[in-house]
Amino acid sequence: GDRTTGSIVTERRGPSGDFVTVQKQSIERVKQGERTTETVVLYDGSGMGGLQPIQQTVATTDKQADGSVTTQVDLYTRNLPGLAADGKLLLREQQLIRKVPTATGAVETVSFRHAQADGSMPKDGFKKASERVCVGECK
């Protein structure tokens, strides 16, 4: 369908011999027309108080009429350098991946931006990190 979910659970034997969940990864993929959003949340249970989210990735992919594909990946973590961890996930990094078809394959450009010390994203946009020209399919 247009929405799929799943999870991966890691369990270990606890001191009493029972299995205890130490890590869980939940995945949700939602398709709406030409847009697909995939959310992956990683939970850690090695501390006190049960499973706590430690990382979340949200990847939104848009397919354009010209055949190009743009994916924005937002990475959230609990700890940012210089900021106190209060248990909330904070946006740490954004990646922008753009794949444009050419006559012989595609050009794939990867750009990024990192959160500033206060946790906000810079207003000056993404910085180009790499560009690759593919003959045939980019893998």
Side-chain angles (χ1 to χ4, degrees):
D2 291 339
R3 182 176 182 266
T4 56
T5 61
S7 63
I8 300 168
V9 177
T10 303
E11 295 182 334
R12 294 203 174 100
R13 284 199 189 273
S16 65
D18 295 338
F19 282 100
V20 177
T21 301
V22 294
Q23 196 173 66
K24 177 181 177 184
Q25 182 178 17
S26 68
I27 304 159
E28 178 184 57
R29 186 175 295 125
V30 178
K31 184 169 174 40
Q32 296 174 326
E34 296 300 313
R35 172 175 279 189
T36 302
T37 302
E38 182 176 276
T39 303
V40 179
V41 183
L42 181 62
Y43 299 87
D44 183 58
S46 59
M48 302 299 265
L51 291 172
Q52 299 294 321
I54 60 169
Q55 181 176 317
Q56 178 176 334
T57 305
V58 180
T60 304
T61 301
D62 291 304
K63 295 181 182 178
Q64 306 301 321
D66 65 359
S68 64
V69 177
T70 302
T71 302
Q72 180 170 318
V73 180
D74 297 338
L75 175 63
Y76 297 84
T77 62
R78 286 178 64 184
N79 301 320
L80 283 174
L83 292 178
D86 60 2
K88 289 191 281 183
L89 296 176
L90 301 172
L91 183 59
R92 180 181 188 118
E93 178 181 310
Q94 291 179 316
Q95 299 172 0
L96 191 63
I97 305 160
R98 183 160 168 80
K99 192 182 300 185
V100 179
T102 64
T104 59
V107 175
E108 184 179 74
T109 306
V110 178
S111 304
F112 69 94
R113 61 184 177 181
H114 294 284
Q116 298 175 348
D118 65 359
S120 66
M121 280 294 153
K123 306 261 188 269
D124 60 353
F126 290 85
K127 293 184 175 38
K128 186 174 171 180
S130 68
E131 182 174 275
R132 131 179 119 133
V133 178
C134 304
V135 177
E137 187 178 344
C138 287
K139 293 185 180 185

